[in-house]
Amino acid sequence: MEFHLDETFFALVGLILFIGVIVYMKVPGMMAKSLDERADQIRNDLSEAKRLREEAQHLLAEYQRKRKEAEVEAANIVAAAAREAELLTAEAKKKTEEFVVRRTAISEQKIKQAELDAIKEVRSTAVDLAIAASQAVIAGKADAGIQARLFQEALGEVKAKLN
């Protein structure tokens, strides 16, 4: 068997030397270490992503709960405002009715007073007219003696009423 040193032989020797240098330089260990580090980094990233996802879900649930609470509180505030508005409306209506009743009573009282004043004025005018008419009749029919006697009688009646 003869050995011929051809290109295939040199390619094989070069490949063996190359593999030897790679093993000698511990390239497979460095590659494994690099891959392990990369796998650890990916695991850490996945773990962090999972933790962040759980935290986000927790925050979402908390915000949804807070939103529901806020909606309930808003509904309660609206209901309280509606009740307060109804109370204020009822109170205003009651006060308005009381005001109308008072004003009506005051108006009726003023009308009655005006009627009484008018009646007094009519009576006073009637008395004045009667007195004037009586004076005219008496003056025409009575002489000075009768007039003096009537004056004294009227004066006596007024003094009697004053005492």
Side-chain angles (χ1 to χ4, degrees), residues 18 22 53 55 59 69 86-87 99 101 108 120 152:
F18 178 73
I22 287 178
R53 181 173 166 247
E55 185 177 321
L59 286 173
E69 288 175 359
E86 288 175 9
L87 290 175
F99 177 76
V101 168
E108 288 174 356
K120 283 183 184 178
Q152 289 300 325

Side-chain angles (χ1 to χ4, degrees), residues 9 32 67 78 83 105 117:
F9 175 74
R67 185 197 56 155
V78 168
R83 286 190 304 270
D117 290 345

